[in-house]
Amino acid sequence: MHEPINSMSSDRISEWLFSALKRVEKPSRYLGNEMNRILKDPQSVGLRMALAFPDIYEIAFSHLGLKILHSLINKLPEVFCERVYAPWVDLEAMMREDGIPLFTLETKTAVADLDVLGFSLQYELAYPIVLNMLELAGLPKKSALRNESHPLVLAGGPNTANPEPLAEFIDAFFLGEAEEVVPELLRVIKQAKDEGLSRKETLLRLARLDGIYVPSFFEPRYDEQGKLVETVCNQAGLPRPRRAVVLNLDAAEADSHPMTPLVEPVHNRYAVEVQRGCTNGCRFCQAGMLYRPMRQRKPETIFNLAQEGIAASGQESLGLLSLSVGEYACLSPLAKALFDTFKKERVSLSLPSMRLESLTPDLVATLKQERKTGFTLAPEAGTERLRRVLNKGNSLEDLERSLNEVFANDWNHVKLYFMIGLPTETMQDVQGIVDLARRAKEIARDNGKKNAKITVSVSNFVPKAITPFQWCAFAKEEDLLAKHQFLRDELRRLKVQLKVHDTRQSLAEALLARGDRRMGKVLERAFSKGARFDAWKDRFRLDPWLEALSEEGLSLDELLYTEKTDADTLAWDHLDFRVSREFLWKDYQRAVEEKALLNCAYGACHGCEVCDEDQGPKRVVMVPTDQEQHPPWLPTRLGDHVERIDTPQVHALTPSPQGSTAKRVFRLRYRKHGEAVFLGHLDTMSLFHIAFQRAKTRLRYSEGFHPKPKLSFGPALPLGVASEVEYFDADVLQTLSAQSLKDRLNAVLPDGFTVLDTMEIPERTRSLGESISRQDFQFTLSGPLQDRLDAGLRRLESDEPLISRREKKGRVKEVDLREGILSWRKLDEELVEVSLANTLTGAVKPSEVLALVFELTDNEQYAVRIKKSGVGFTKRRPNKESTRNPNHGQQPHHQRRAARSPRRPGGERQHR
């Protein structure tokens, strides 16, 4: 095994990848051929960069901020921005084995050949993946070792609240919100490149920009006991790095023409950010402090973005996102308007977890019309005393009112989020979680939901930078485990499901969240000991971290279990995040005294200094003029900083015309080639469903609780096999010709898919699954495999049995493949075509032919090129007992099995 080289031509990488994708768990992660993807001619731009997310595709693609930034940067004519995500362990092993460098999704360009590499830091336990991606790219991990030929390595995101553990590895951090500063940052880098400036000179220019922190220009100093005393700037004239803020969210960049994934990500929806910032002042919440002040988008802006984004993406789910979406005062009328508009287009509306006090009857009445899965509420703590400590601002009455609304509107599953290990927490507070779960069960029964499912989800509190709790100690593991066991025992008696976060992962997260620059050495040591996908529960190991701490002479007592005081220097004190340290300390003291603060968006200012005239914008909050639309928590008397706006009217928000509802049934033949052959059957069905949405062509749906689009596909094409004879049937609710349907779909399909023929068929035509009786496959056995071809043909001509052992549900069944092999012929010295029978009980697979007829091992099969060259249809006429089943073989986009949770790998089984 050898390390990846740092540069290689994109053609060479693409050639290698095509071969490698036959051997990985989920090859479609690495295709990069999404609908609406952005491509530019690399020769026509002056600056090339990649946005990097340190996790796999399904998680990376779900992140809204990265999509917005990707769209914003690519609107700059001089810049081409691509994407690079972490390869899963199977592909990484092959990359290291064959010396393949980390490459971009869009053009398969080696990352080392770019000008800029920008990481998004969303979770501390992804830091080992950052080091791994740098190593895979062939770049020195430490910034001090990089030279003028290497790309600048930048990083941004919420984890830059404490960037010190990564300070030795990142050239420059972006603090805060990127939309208004990134264009200037890239302009400076491009100008420095054109002028031939050195790496240090370029970084000095960047360090003078708002929001940029260059850690090499700052030095931490420690006392004799190893305690951090201060961090000082070693370059004269540099300003204190200060968080950047977007002044006008309503005019800020929003990705209204989003890429549509071909692989289902964790969150598969088109999302619109309705507001930024939160003024509830929850003392544990880092995002609530980092993204102050509150800024809201106008309802009409949100609605227009929703219409544009849904039309462009073909998505079936619309998400309204913010830190606390219930605080958006126009939410209820806006949600109703969106629902009334999109319900005819079968687009669902989703919201994140709601604060108890912000859940209104009008909002619940709107959401009840959606397909009901689970409703999520976040009490956070079990007792009102502890909620006052957190400044959570909700009461038992709020929870009871919300639960009554939810169960009365026919939800059967409620998830309640809590934290444990909180400051001042006692076992009485933990018992309060049990009491609230019991009360939820009672309210469910009172509303006729005797079998309602209650899930309690518990995370471990981790003190984070730039919060009032940044001085707090982290709870010891034995205390957390004891509370977990108490909850497990008590909730089991109530028949309430409990989900808890791994205490070991929380411990490692706390180390990186609170640590100073010394944690960089710990991180590097842990990485060398095997830390990689530590955000994934089944891959996390604590031992590398504990061993690295010991080798660096650091202890958990010093770093985690000791509460800090106002006199202590914190690792991030040299950075200005606009919320003053004095305010955070005073609010911490109020927490100890169990004193709550009212939401400052609608009342008195509490002096956090974000809204000072010389520091940043004032609060921007909008409320409807119609008093009846006010949420119950909104005060009647509002401050001058609140903008009153007209309530959005449903009749003004009309859906796009859908055309007539005449029924047509079409049979379509399509080509699947290139890298698209690595897209699985379920993903392919989903792709065509989205294509119909984007082509503004309405499909018929089945009836019932989960309506399904009436798309019926032929037999599944094995992964890695090309074909020009794939078929599906579509029931269309529009008057259009076969040629028009073909043109519409080809205009929106991604690379690798082309509709070749379209014909209208009678509604009672036999389904494809019933009528396709034969499939022809061509196998190319070249090079050292060529001698197997003639031997395989002789084996086919003999009478010896070809027994395949098939396993299903733990039982093994032996099948003689001769019954399913209809004919064969040699086309040339390397090419043979085999016709296989297709039956409803199961067809012969090409992989079985390669294994038993040509006696190829799994590794040898990877070298065989396979193409589906033809199909045969039965000539029997349809009858009353055997008619086309429009639901056969279908699985709609919104019902496909979702990608697994972010802590476990997901995907289809490997096809061989």
Side-chain angles (χ1 to χ4, degrees):
M1 181 179 292
H2 49 79
E3 294 298 315
I5 58 179
N6 62 8
S7 185
M8 183 179 287
S9 73
S10 59
D11 289 342
R12 171 71 182 90
I13 293 174
S14 295
E15 180 184 352
W16 174 87
L17 182 64
F18 193 89
S19 173
L21 290 182
K22 298 179 180 180
R23 296 173 281 164
V24 299
E25 176 189 16
K26 197 165 186 179
S28 44
R29 289 170 174 156
Y30 311 104
L31 302 183
N33 63 334
E34 299 93 345
M35 301 179 189
N36 295 335
R37 68 171 177 172
I38 301 172
L39 286 178
K40 294 184 180 182
D41 178 7
Q43 305 303 319
S44 67
V45 298
L47 200 69
R48 296 191 64 185
M49 71 171 294
L51 288 174
F53 197 97
D55 216 316
I56 63 170
Y57 181 97
E58 293 92 322
I59 296 171
F61 195 91
S62 299
H63 189 251
L64 177 60
L66 210 64
K67 294 177 185 177
I68 292 173
L69 203 55
H70 180 261
S71 173
L72 169 68
I73 294 172
N74 276 307
K75 288 180 179 178
L76 304 174
E78 285 294 305
V79 185
F80 179 23
C81 180
E82 302 184 59
R83 295 164 294 144
V84 57
Y85 305 144
W88 187 239
V89 292
D90 50 3
L91 187 68
E92 179 192 334
M94 285 186 276
M95 291 171 67
R96 290 187 181 276
E97 179 70 29
D98 297 336
I100 302 297
L102 187 68
F103 51 85
T104 62
L105 269 179
E106 282 82 355
T107 63
K108 309 301 184 284
T109 298
V111 165
D113 291 337
L114 303 175
D115 300 300
V116 182
L117 177 64
F119 283 96
S120 176
L121 305 178
Q122 302 295 320
Y123 186 40
E124 289 86 352
L125 290 184
Y127 291 177
I129 308 180
V130 173
L131 300 195
N132 196 41
M133 292 175 74
L134 290 173
E135 186 173 276
L136 283 172
L139 301 176
K141 290 190 286 294
K142 291 192 174 182
S143 58
L145 300 179
R146 297 184 202 122
N147 58 38
E148 312 303 325
S149 69
H150 296 132
L152 284 173
V153 179
L154 312 180
N159 283 168
T160 58
N162 178 20
E164 293 306 291
L166 282 174
E168 293 187 351
F169 311 103
I170 303 297
D171 294 322
F173 290 95
F174 189 92
L175 309 180
E177 302 166 15
E179 292 96 325
E180 294 184 358
V181 182
V182 161
E184 176 64 11
L185 177 143
L186 295 176
R187 186 194 65 78
V188 170
I189 295 176
K190 166 86 168 46
Q191 186 177 20
K193 176 185 176 182
D194 293 342
E195 295 177 9
L197 297 186
S198 68
R199 196 177 191 87
K200 181 177 180 179
E201 290 170 327
T202 302
L203 290 173
L204 276 170
R205 286 193 179 182
L206 293 180
R208 293 185 174 91
L209 296 178
D210 198 28
I212 301 299
Y213 167 51
V214 180
S216 60
F217 297 153
F218 291 80
E219 296 177 2
R221 296 179 179 175
Y222 300 87
D223 63 17
E224 294 178 354
Q225 287 73 40
K227 187 176 182 180
L228 181 65
V229 175
E230 62 179 340
T231 301
V232 297
C233 181
N234 59 24
Q235 297 290 323
L238 289 185
R240 183 187 181 194
R242 185 177 68 159
R243 177 174 69 95
V245 176
V246 170
L247 300 178
N248 183 359
L249 184 64
D250 207 52
E253 175 70 20
D255 189 10
S256 60
H257 202 71
M259 288 180 289
T260 303
L262 305 186
V263 183
E264 188 160 7
V266 173
H267 299 299
N268 195 13
R269 64 194 174 200
Y270 174 66
V272 180
E273 186 183 21
V274 300
Q275 69 183 13
R276 189 173 297 175
C278 177
T279 49
N280 283 298
C282 297
R283 292 170 176 139
F284 60 85
C285 181
Q286 185 182 65
M289 298 294 168
L290 278 181
Y291 293 102
R292 290 187 174 199
M294 181 187 285
R295 290 142 291 161
Q296 298 185 339
R297 278 195 166 110
K298 292 181 180 179
E300 55 267 31
T301 302
I302 297 168
F303 188 87
N304 290 336
L305 288 172
Q307 281 198 313
E308 293 175 23
I310 291 296
S313 67
Q315 291 280 25
E316 285 193 304
S317 179
L318 169 66
L320 301 182
L321 301 186
S322 78
L323 289 175
S324 180
V325 71
E327 301 297 312
Y328 186 73
C330 299
L331 181 62
S332 184
L334 174 64
K336 186 178 188 306
L338 289 168
F339 179 82
D340 289 346
T341 295
F342 289 115
K343 65 182 178 182
K344 295 180 181 179
E345 301 178 25
R346 299 185 180 273
V347 175
S348 63
L349 182 66
S350 65
L351 302 176
S353 62
M354 301 285 293
R355 288 177 62 90
L356 303 179
E357 66 274 26
S358 63
L359 190 63
T360 67
D362 286 346
L363 184 59
V364 176
T366 298
L367 296 176
K368 71 173 289 187
Q369 301 174 74
E370 298 284 355
R371 296 185 294 270
K372 298 174 182 63
T373 51
F375 206 102
T376 303
L377 299 170
E380 303 293 2
T383 63
E384 292 199 27
R385 182 204 70 82
L386 190 52
R387 287 193 288 272
R388 284 197 303 274
V389 172
L390 302 183
N391 202 44
K392 185 60 183 174
N394 55 56
S395 64
L396 176 60
E397 289 74 19
D398 291 323
L399 177 62
E400 292 176 337
R401 177 181 55 79
S402 298
L403 288 171
N404 272 304
E405 289 285 351
V406 169
F407 289 125
N409 283 280
D410 290 337
W411 269 274
N412 291 303
H413 183 195
V414 169
K415 292 173 277 188
L416 302 175
Y417 282 172
F418 296 93
M419 286 186 292
I420 63 169
L422 291 160
T424 78
E425 182 180 82
T426 66
M427 284 306 296
Q428 184 177 355
D429 299 308
V430 182
Q431 174 64 47
I433 297 176
V434 179
D435 296 339
L436 290 184
R438 180 183 294 109
R439 184 66 184 122
K441 295 278 286 186
E442 293 170 354
I443 293 173
R445 285 195 296 269
D446 292 344
N447 283 275
K449 303 293 182 183
K450 183 179 179 181
N451 296 319
K453 181 181 179 181
I454 308 295
T455 299
V456 169
S457 180
V458 173
S459 62
N460 308 305
F461 166 69
V462 175
K464 293 293 179 84
I466 322 300
T467 69
F469 287 164
Q470 64 184 354
W471 290 274
C472 295
F474 178 70
K476 292 190 175 181
E477 184 179 10
E478 55 267 29
D479 294 335
L480 294 173
L481 291 176
K483 292 172 181 176
H484 287 175
Q485 190 58 50
F486 173 82
L487 289 172
R488 195 172 288 112
D489 294 341
E490 294 296 318
L491 293 176
R492 186 184 298 119
R493 297 187 183 97
L494 294 176
K495 296 183 179 179
V496 169
Q497 184 181 12
L498 174 67
K499 295 182 179 180
V500 297
H501 192 66
D502 190 342
T503 56
R504 300 166 304 158
Q505 284 183 295
S506 298
L507 188 150
E509 177 188 345
L511 283 171
L512 293 168
R514 293 168 59 85
D516 55 41
R517 202 168 291 195
R518 293 174 297 174
M519 278 303 299
K521 294 180 173 58
V522 174
L523 169 63
E524 191 171 20
R525 285 184 181 273
F527 172 75
S528 69
K529 295 174 183 292
R532 290 294 187 278
F533 283 91
D534 281 28
W536 297 63
K537 184 176 180 179
D538 58 345
R539 291 192 165 266
F540 175 80
R541 293 186 304 117
L542 184 60
D543 289 346
W545 296 95
L546 297 181
E547 291 170 9
L549 278 175
S550 177
E551 291 169 7
E552 288 296 325
L554 300 173
S555 70
L556 292 177
D557 284 336
E558 174 196 355
L559 297 173
L560 293 187
Y561 302 143
T562 301
E563 185 169 342
K564 296 184 181 297
T565 70
D566 190 30
D568 290 317
T569 299
L570 304 177
W572 48 89
D573 276 348
H574 59 295
L575 306 174
D576 180 6
F577 289 93
R578 296 182 182 260
V579 179
S580 74
R581 193 181 194 274
E582 292 74 19
F583 165 77
L584 295 175
W585 176 255
K586 289 178 181 177
D587 206 31
Y588 181 32
Q589 302 312 302
R590 282 188 286 260
V592 173
E593 297 167 3
E594 301 178 12
K595 293 180 180 178
L597 286 179
L598 296 177
N599 189 323
C600 69
Y602 310 105
C605 175
H606 302 308
C608 73
E609 299 185 15
V610 167
C611 297
D612 282 1
E613 293 293 345
D614 61 342
Q615 289 245 2
K618 290 289 184 183
R619 294 159 283 174
V620 179
V621 181
M622 295 175 291
V623 300
T625 55
D626 182 0
Q627 291 293 318
E628 293 180 359
Q629 295 288 350
H630 283 195
W633 44 265
L634 189 63
T636 303
R637 299 181 63 183
L638 303 172
D640 294 336
H641 53 275
V642 175
E643 178 184 352
R644 298 178 185 273
I645 63 170
D646 292 334
T647 302
Q649 299 297 315
V650 176
H651 63 76
L653 308 174
T654 55
S656 56
Q658 291 291 339
S660 75
T661 57
K663 293 186 291 185
R664 298 284 189 277
V665 181
F666 293 95
R667 177 158 291 174
L668 301 94
R669 178 172 70 93
Y670 67 94
R671 174 193 297 134
K672 190 177 182 183
H673 63 101
E675 290 186 349
V677 302
F678 296 108
L679 198 69
H681 186 60
L682 295 181
D683 289 318
T684 298
M685 290 193 293
S686 173
L687 178 150
F688 275 102
H689 182 203
I690 294 172
F692 274 90
Q693 300 278 94
R694 297 186 63 221
K696 295 182 173 57
T697 303
R698 291 185 66 193
L699 293 168
R700 290 178 65 193
Y701 277 71
S702 62
E703 303 296 330
F705 188 69
H706 289 291
K708 302 176 182 180
K710 293 197 173 185
L711 292 174
S712 175
F713 283 77
L717 186 68
L719 213 62
V721 176
S723 174
E724 295 199 1
V725 286
E726 294 306 291
Y727 290 87
F728 72 92
D729 295 344
D731 287 27
V732 176
L733 284 176
Q734 283 179 241
T735 302
L736 72 167
S737 67
Q739 183 64 41
S740 176
L741 177 59
K742 173 183 172 181
D743 293 342
R744 285 189 183 197
L745 291 176
N746 283 334
V748 298
L749 284 171
D751 292 346
F753 290 91
T754 306
V755 176
L756 301 175
D757 297 312
T758 310
M759 61 179 291
E760 189 170 353
I761 60 175
E763 187 173 357
R764 294 178 63 81
T765 304
R766 291 168 58 85
S767 73
L768 288 165
E770 294 175 314
S771 58
I772 292 180
S773 59
R774 188 195 81 242
Q775 299 183 85
D776 305 330
F777 293 93
Q778 294 181 356
F779 302 92
T780 301
L781 281 71
S782 56
L785 300 181
Q786 190 174 342
D787 61 344
R788 308 287 186 94
L789 192 147
D790 289 332
L793 292 179
R794 289 193 297 270
R795 196 168 292 108
L796 285 172
E797 292 168 355
S798 71
D799 293 328
E800 64 178 282
L802 299 171
I803 304 299
S804 176
R805 293 171 57 85
R806 296 176 177 174
E807 184 175 349
K808 185 176 182 180
K809 295 182 178 179
R811 301 181 64 180
V812 177
K813 180 181 179 180
E814 292 189 348
V815 178
D816 189 347
L817 298 189
R818 287 193 174 277
E819 300 175 5
I821 299 178
L822 303 177
S823 63
W824 58 89
R825 58 177 179 151
K826 184 177 180 181
L827 301 179
D828 61 33
E829 293 304 313
E830 298 181 343
L831 184 64
V832 63
E833 183 176 73
V834 181
S835 295
L836 305 176
N838 182 67
T839 67
L840 294 177
T841 57
V844 177
K845 300 175 183 178
S847 59
E848 293 176 311
V849 174
L850 291 176
L852 295 175
V853 175
F854 300 104
E855 295 187 337
L856 301 183
T857 66
D858 289 346
N859 286 333
E860 289 172 332
Q861 289 183 36
Y862 297 141
V864 177
R865 294 196 304 274
I866 308 175
K867 179 182 178 180
K868 185 174 173 181
S869 53
V871 297
F873 289 87
T874 58
K875 296 183 179 180
R876 262 192 316 153
R877 290 178 175 272
N879 54 52
K880 292 182 179 180
E881 288 74 29
S882 178
T883 58
R884 189 184 68 87
N885 175 7
N887 294 326
H888 179 79
Q890 75 174 5
Q891 188 169 6
H893 182 56
H894 62 268
Q895 279 197 303
R896 287 180 41 232
R897 190 178 76 172
R900 298 180 190 265
S901 73
R903 303 296 167 249
R904 295 190 61 187
E908 300 166 352
R909 296 181 60 188
Q910 183 174 355
H911 289 252
R912 294 174 175 172

